[in-house]
Amino acid sequence: MEEEEGGGGGGSGRRVVAVGAGLAGLGAAQRLRGHGSFRLLEATARAGGRVRTRSFASGLVEMGAHWIHGPSPGNPVFRLATRYGLLGPEAAQEENQEVDLGGHPPLPSLTYGSSGKALSPEAVSEAHDLFHALLASARAFQGAKEVPVPSVGQYLRAEIARRVPTLGGGEEDARRLRLAILATYLKLECCVSGTHSMDLVALEPFGEYVTLPGLDCTFPGGYSSLPDRMLSALPEGTVLLNKAVRTIRWRGSFREEGDEVRDFPVRVECEDGDAFLADHVIVTVPLGFLKERHQDFFQPPLPERKAEAIRRLGFGTNNKIFLEFERPFWEPEQWLLQAVWEDESPLEEPSADLEANWFKKLMGFVVLQPPEQHGHVLCGFIAGKESEYMETLSDAEVLGTMTRVLRTLTGNPQLPAPRSVLRSRWHSAPYTRGSYSYVAVGSSGDDIDVLAQPLPEDPEDPRPLQLLFAGEATHRTFYSTAHGALLSGWREAERLNQLFDAPGPAPRL
């Protein structure tokens, strides 16, 4: 990119600023060409956004993005990671790239019940198969003129209720157990969708989300190795860290001191008093931040259509709780320990008492494999309001509660407490305010497209593309994913490249 600074094309001398150095901002930086100057402003002390690898126990853990979902040639994160040599040998195997699990992990290794013993694989298998069949049927309403109920949650519950008489062969205890296991699958689905409840997720557009084939894989050197490599490829000084933006003033006429000739339509003002004038600003901040701040973040405020889309789309919290153990209480081949509270049912309202019951929203624990790389570490997943409540507790409180939960589930009151705990707090992060987006009841994929539309809206405006929008919440079929974020950054860079009419070298991807 260095040799193209100030290069030819109609964009010569154009100033571009991007806000947010996550995968969308870094992706835009990677693809932009034919412009004059480019700056990428990042509010925090690191690049990567919701990709964040940290050291824990004897290895690395992912606080944010965890897997490459669908590591196959159609996935740009997979292609980029392969090009950079960041993946292990198994990820390159073609047979792994062709496995299609529909975005869901295979059956758990072990499911514990709150009575303190492992549940029968038959009961788990029956509930699992039913839940995933119903989930698949929920995706079939896409494009339907009429839907039976507004939300995925209501649809799943109605379908489960219809089947109650036949569950577990109609025997009362077996039926109750299967309902309890189904309640756990709903919690897992809340984690997948990044929502407090599937009752908040719209039914009709649910099938619009696209899963890519491939056996989900991780980065041996941490997911942060990807944004780190993208960052290191940019010219020195392109990315400014600890540079929080306070206000983006657009539709203006701003001049540099001492330059009477040139005026810029956009002025980006930072919390520290610095300001950057630009012709084009690519906004890649999370939807959670926009929901909280869009009214004062943009001057003049965003058009009502865009503000409405920001309000209507869903954005929730999914957090992780990592627990390190001296020695494992699970078997070496187990990779998922599922938790079932046997008195629960998807047909009953869950307790609203967060203080007493927040931990019951935990769907279970993924075992970080292999132990030679990670140590003996479990990663618990928890979504929604319970997850946000967990963020307010101390490490000691979380560790104490997790110890009690695991002693209950294993039926071993002497089970040693974890040696250490580390958890994510995405809702408390001031520039993120949650984990990722979903299409909420009252919203649709059209709102994602409205969010992605550049401003000003008038295509004939003499100063086009003042504000462009990228980030996972702006990708209609890959929202909530790292590959959606990356593609959205590339999309907005290409939009500017077309405006600048910069032929430039063909990208190598």
Side-chain angles (χ1 to χ4, degrees), residues 87-93:
L87 300 179
E90 68 292 337
Q93 292 170 0

Side-chain angles (χ1 to χ4, degrees), residues 395-415:
D395 279 357
E397 286 172 306
V398 172
L399 193 137
T401 301
M402 291 299 102
T403 304
R404 283 198 305 278
V405 165
L406 287 167
R407 286 173 178 172
T408 300
L409 294 170
T410 58
N412 175 6
Q414 262 65 59
L415 188 81

Side-chain angles (χ1 to χ4, degrees), residues 1 7 16 73 76 150 155 164 192 195 200 209 238 280 293 325 351 353 402 409 439 442 467 473 485:
M1 220 175 86
V16 183
Y155 172 75
V164 162
V192 172
T195 184
L200 302 173
Y209 175 84
T238 301
H280 312 283
R293 296 276 306 275
F325 290 84
S351 161
D353 185 347
M402 291 299 102
L409 294 170
V439 183
L467 302 181

Side-chain angles (χ1 to χ4, degrees), residues 48-65:
R50 285 167 271 175
V51 172
R52 187 180 189 193
T53 306
R54 287 187 55 183
S55 296
F56 180 68
S58 61
L60 301 170
V61 294
E62 304 297 354
M63 306 303 283

Side-chain angles (χ1 to χ4, degrees), residues 176-191:
R176 291 194 34 178
L177 180 58
R178 280 151 184 78
L179 283 170
I181 300 167
L182 287 165
T184 291
Y185 281 116
L186 270 169
K187 294 170 196 174
L188 170 58
E189 210 48 45
C190 287
C191 293

